[in-house]
Amino acid sequence: MTQRFEVELLEEAYEFLKKLDLKHRKKILQNMDRAKFHTDPKLFKKLDGEIWEFRTLYSGKQYRFLAFWDKTKPTNTMVIATHGFIKKKSKVNKKEIDKAERIRQQYFN
C-alpha cells in the first residue's frame, strides 16, 4: 500500500503530545501513521473548509489533532497538525476550528 502523505506536527501540537502519558502518545502516533496509508474517517476526516482532524479514542478519551493539507511541494504531500486537545462534546468546538484556520493562514503567508 502506498503512503498518501507525510505528517508534520507544529510546535503547539508537539507540546500537547509531549504532555500526554506514553501509552496515549503511542496510540495517537500509531493512528496518525495508519491514516497515512488508509482512508478511514475513524482516523482522519474533513471537518470544515480546509481543516481536517486526526482522531483517536483511547481509554475513554477522545483526542483530536486539527490539521490542514500542504500540497505546495512537488515531491510529497504534507498534512500539518496545528494543535491537539481532548474533545469533550459531540462536535468539535468552532473555536478550535477557527484557531486551526488562523494557523493555516499564517503558515501559507
Side-chain angles (χ1 to χ4, degrees), residues 18 27 33-34 36-37 50 52-53 56 59 62 68-69 79 96 102 104-107 109:
K18 236 172 52 172
K27 182 64 174 177
D33 282 342
R34 277 192 208 144
K36 292 177 189 178
F37 296 95
E50 300 295 321
W52 291 64
E53 70 175 343
T56 299
S59 292
Q62 295 187 49
F68 59 88
W69 293 83
V79 172
E96 299 292 352
R102 279 193 308 276
R104 186 185 79 79
Q105 289 175 2
Q106 289 173 354
Y107 176 88
N109 288 336

Side-chain angles (χ1 to χ4, degrees), residues 16-42:
F16 177 79
L17 193 62
K18 236 172 52 172
K19 292 177 185 174
L20 299 176
D21 179 70
L22 180 61
K23 287 182 181 180
H24 294 240
R25 192 176 329 144
K26 282 183 176 181
K27 182 64 174 177
I28 291 166
L29 292 173
Q30 181 183 44
N31 281 353
M32 284 182 176
D33 282 342
R34 277 192 208 144
K36 292 177 189 178
F37 296 95
H38 304 285
T39 303
D40 184 351
K42 291 180 182 174

Side-chain angles (χ1 to χ4, degrees), residues 27-78:
K27 182 64 174 177
I28 291 166
L29 292 173
Q30 181 183 44
N31 281 353
M32 284 182 176
D33 282 342
R34 277 192 208 144
K36 292 177 189 178
F37 296 95
H38 304 285
T39 303
D40 184 351
K42 291 180 182 174
L43 299 175
F44 185 60
K45 76 172 205 171
K46 187 171 187 171
L47 277 180
D48 187 44
E50 300 295 321
I51 305 302
W52 291 64
E53 70 175 343
F54 285 103
R55 309 168 59 150
T56 299
L57 175 61
Y58 188 70
S59 292
K61 293 186 178 181
Q62 295 187 49
Y63 294 101
R64 298 295 189 261
F65 282 80
L66 299 191
F68 59 88
W69 293 83
D70 178 357
K71 298 179 182 179
T72 59
K73 297 180 176 100
T75 54
N76 61 343
T77 300
M78 299 291 292

